[in-house]
């Protein structure tokens, strides 16, 4: 049975918010056993500054995953940080921010994995509780779907299809194990199409977006000078998003995720559907076999 884990030390970074374009300062701090992940908005006064990183606190999923508390205090673009925490096996962490968004960094989870490795991961004095999927749950929206099915191995699969030849049809499946997230997924960047980016800018969104923090596709071409980090970087990023969105369950998931063109909205609907059926899940301490898969110290990657 793997222990719960937190950071050994606090660590800090700054970056820009993708949608606000504003500079954001972020500090990741160790948190006690059972605390989970929560955000603290240090710039907020007179209202509750704490926003839980939980599936039932998700308030918006249109452009990114946004969580909110009862006072309406929000934190946006949580998914790439949540994916890094999941991928590095960090169960308990307090994330301080002086603005409304997690910084976008390079559009991937790699800078957050680097921060977590610099801080170090520490074992805590309690077993981790994993969310075991007991029966298949599926949500569908037109041609899109997301499902969680029982499996002894935590795994994620995704398929996407876009008209652009730069993306076209891509599938990716990964079973999480030590070092897998860092090696196969962390560096995959978010992406957008030039016409969408221009429309968002006109609407006052994606103000911090640039070729430094997203892959931008125009027609059948990738506009970024350095090209892609993986030939199938697009679908790998969608898997990364899925891992981040599903980490809002409140612990590691012992089951297999299957997404077809799934995004933040459907990923969150899937957690609502799962938790709505008490016969579909249980919290349990992973056994000896599962502990191998959950021993995801980034430092030993
Ligand atoms: Zn993303």
């Amino acid at each position: 049975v793997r222990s719960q884990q937190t950071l050994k030390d606090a660590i800090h970074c700054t970056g820009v918010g993708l949608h606000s374009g504003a500079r954001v300062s972020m500090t990741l701090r160790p948190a006690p056993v059972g605390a989970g992940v929560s955000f603290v908005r240090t710039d907020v006064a007179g209202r509750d500054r704490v926003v839980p990183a939980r599936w039932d606190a998700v308030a918006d999923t249109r452009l990114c995953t946004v969580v909110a508390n009862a006072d309406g205090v929000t934190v946006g673009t949580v998914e790439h940080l949540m994916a890094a925490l999941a991928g590095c096996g960090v169960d308990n962490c307090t994330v301080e921010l002086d603005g409304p968004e997690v910084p976008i960094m390079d559009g991937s989870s790699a800078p957050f994995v680097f921060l977590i490795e610099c801080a170090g991961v520490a074992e805590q004095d309690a077993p981790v509780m994993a969310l075991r999927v007991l029966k298949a749950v599926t949500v569908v929206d037109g041609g899109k779907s997301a499902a969680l099915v029982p499996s002894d191995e935590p795994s994620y699969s995704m398929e996407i299809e876009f008209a652009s030849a730069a993306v076209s049809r891509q599938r990716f499946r990964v079973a999480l194990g030590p070092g897998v997230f860092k090696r196969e997924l962390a560096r995959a960047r978010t992406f957008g199409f030039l016409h969408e980016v221009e429309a968002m800018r006109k609407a006052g969104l994606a103000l911090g977006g640039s070729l430094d923090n997203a892959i931008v596709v125009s027609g059948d071409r990738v506009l970024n000078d350095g090209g892609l980090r993986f030939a199938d970087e697009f679908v790998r990023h969608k898997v990364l998003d899925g891992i981040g969105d599903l980490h809002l369950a409140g612990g590691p998931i012992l089951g297999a995720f299957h997404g077809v063109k799934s995004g933040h909205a459907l990923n969150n609907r899937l957690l609502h559907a799962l938790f709505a059926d008490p016969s579909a899940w249980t919290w349990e301490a992973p056994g000896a076999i599962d502990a191998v898969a959950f021993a995801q110290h980034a430092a030993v990657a």
Side-chain angles (χ1 to χ4, degrees), residues 79-80 190 237 240-241 264:
E79 57 271 15
H80 305 159
T190 191
H237 184 81
L240 181 163
D241 277 341
H264 304 307

Side-chain angles (χ1 to χ4, degrees), residues 1-5 33-34 91-92 123-129:
V1 174
R2 122 146 143 61
S3 298
Q4 291 187 33
Q5 297 180 142
V33 162
D91 307 294
N92 304 309
E123 293 199 352
Q124 295 174 290
D125 199 16
V128 70
M129 297 302 282

Side-chain angles (χ1 to χ4, degrees), residues 40-172:
V40 177
R41 283 277 305 272
T42 59
D43 58 317
V44 167
R47 291 187 293 166
D48 187 0
R49 307 193 305 171
V50 179
V51 184
R54 284 182 51 92
W55 60 279
D56 51 359
V58 171
D60 193 347
T61 53
R62 283 168 297 177
L63 298 168
C64 60
T65 297
V66 179
V67 287
N69 65 20
D71 280 0
V73 175
T74 62
V75 176
T77 321
V78 304
E79 57 271 15
H80 305 159
L81 174 63
M82 292 305 293
L85 293 169
C88 297
V90 177
D91 307 294
N92 304 309
C93 182
T94 302
V95 182
E96 291 180 0
L97 291 163
D98 66 356
E101 261 187 285
V102 175
I104 189 66
M105 310 308 283
D106 72 347
S108 80
S109 290
F112 301 131
V113 170
F114 176 75
L115 282 178
I116 292 164
E117 287 186 331
C118 289
V121 175
E123 293 199 352
Q124 295 174 290
D125 199 16
V128 70
M129 297 302 282
L131 181 64
R132 180 181 278 279
V133 178
L134 298 175
K135 79 185 195 201
V137 174
T138 306
V139 290
V140 178
D141 175 17
K144 306 173 186 180
S145 65
L148 276 167
V149 302
S151 169
D152 285 331
E153 178 185 66
S155 72
Y156 290 81
S157 76
M158 180 70 76
E159 52 182 274
I160 58 172
E161 190 170 9
F162 287 90
S164 165
V167 187
S168 186
R169 186 162 190 193
Q170 300 186 354
R171 289 165 183 252
F172 193 76

